[in-house]
Amino acid sequence: MEAQTCVLTEGAETWGRTYYRNTSGEALRAVLSLMGPAGRTVRTHCAIPRGDEPGACETPREKGRGPIEEYVAVAEFASDGDPESPLLLRSGSNPAPPPRS
């Protein structure tokens, strides 16, 4: 399992995205969370099919409520067959660097 997670913006919208490649040989599930200012969290559940093809999962786009530096996205991947299965991978975004003056 490989994944890369980031926070994206376009205009006034902000959202989280995780890119993945499932090399595990089994179907997986992922929970992608976008955490922002004032404790606001948006969470999306994604089915991750088996196979080596790259894919992506996104949270819904929302109007940004603060600077992008205040947002973090985290994706957690686990087996799809058992809700109590252990976490296989956690992928998080890096905070955006401060703007240069």
Side-chain angles (χ1 to χ4, degrees):
M1 181 77 222
E2 300 172 11
Q4 181 179 2
T5 304
C6 57
V7 176
L8 301 166
T9 62
E10 182 175 56
E13 296 179 320
T14 302
W15 69 100
R17 180 183 292 163
T18 190
Y19 299 96
Y20 60 82
R21 176 175 255 151
N22 180 5
T23 58
S24 72
E26 64 178 285
L28 303 175
R29 60 185 163 83
V31 177
L32 175 60
S33 301
L34 176 67
M35 295 159 279
R40 178 141 176 88
T41 300
V42 177
R43 183 171 288 152
T44 300
H45 296 260
C46 305
I48 310 298
R50 67 176 55 100
D52 197 21
E53 292 298 314
C57 172
E58 294 186 349
T59 64
R61 296 178 183 210
E62 293 200 338
K63 181 179 179 190
R65 291 183 164 80
I68 191 170
E69 297 87 15
E70 295 183 18
Y71 285 85
V72 175
V74 175
E76 297 179 316
F77 296 85
S79 175
D80 193 31
D82 178 7
E84 299 297 318
S85 67
L87 183 65
L88 299 174
L89 177 68
R90 179 178 288 133
S91 172
S93 64
N94 290 331
R100 293 184 175 191
S101 29

